[in-house]
Every structure is written in C-alpha cells, then in structure tokens.
Amino acid sequence: MPPVVPPFLVGLIVAPLAKRLLKPLVGGVVKASVGIAMEVKKAAHEAGENIHDLAAEVAADVVAAQIAAGETEGHSVPGQHATGAKGDRRAPKIRATAESAAGKTH
C-alpha cells in the first residue's frame, strides 16, 4: 500500500512551483494581449483617417460637379445661385427651424 500524502502537503509543494511557472506565462499572455490591442487600435485609427480622407475627396468632387453644372446653366460666379448667395439660401431654413422650435407650424 502506497503512503497516503495529505492534500495540504501536496499544496505546499505544488503552490510555489505553480507560481514560478505560471507567473511568466500569465505575464507573457498579458503582454501579448496588450500588444494586440494596441495594434488593433492603431489599425482602426488609420481606417478612420482613410474613410475621412475618402469622404473629403467625394465632397470635393460633388462641389466641383455642382460648380460645373452651375456654370453650364449660365451662372458664372461660383457660390451664387438663382436665389442669391449661399447665406441667403440658408437663412429661410434657419428661420424655419427656429419657428418650428418655438411651436409654430407652416
């Protein structure tokens, strides 16, 4: 019959060994996961910048197309439309919004 070893004695022997082996392993896992998280964050930031750049290019193309369409219709001054300057076109929208906020209906 083999000798019976109490569980607490096994724990006294295994705990320091586990600590020596697991501490570097856990440290490596944490270090790797933080590194991966930083790379993902960097990639997401770069993707956001690329999308922002693409949106700016598309907006510039749309404005250029609108200016070109306005010039072909006989408007020679960019920013001027049949209703006047850009500020004049936007003013009724702002007033309409203020009236709506005050509770008035059209």
Side-chain angles (χ1 to χ4, degrees):
M1 207 152 151
V4 178
V5 179
F8 74 92
L9 288 179
V10 173
L12 288 176
I13 295 171
V14 172
L17 291 175
K19 183 178 178 182
R20 283 187 191 165
L21 294 175
L22 291 178
K23 187 174 181 179
L25 179 66
V26 171
V29 168
V30 169
K31 188 175 182 180
S33 63
V34 168
I36 290 170
M38 295 296 286
E39 288 296 320
V40 168
K41 185 177 179 180
K42 181 179 175 183
H45 181 70
E46 289 176 0
E49 285 181 353
N50 289 340
I51 290 172
H52 181 70
D53 291 344
L54 181 61
E57 289 176 14
V58 169
D61 290 344
V62 169
V63 169
Q66 288 175 348
I67 290 172
E71 289 176 356
T72 59
E73 293 175 1
H75 298 286
S76 60
V77 181
Q80 290 263 336
H81 299 283
T83 58
K86 280 186 179 179
D88 293 338
R89 282 191 309 127
R90 296 175 79 193
K93 291 180 183 176
I94 294 170
R95 282 193 293 268
T97 303
E99 291 172 1
S100 298
K104 296 179 183 178
T105 58
H106 295 285

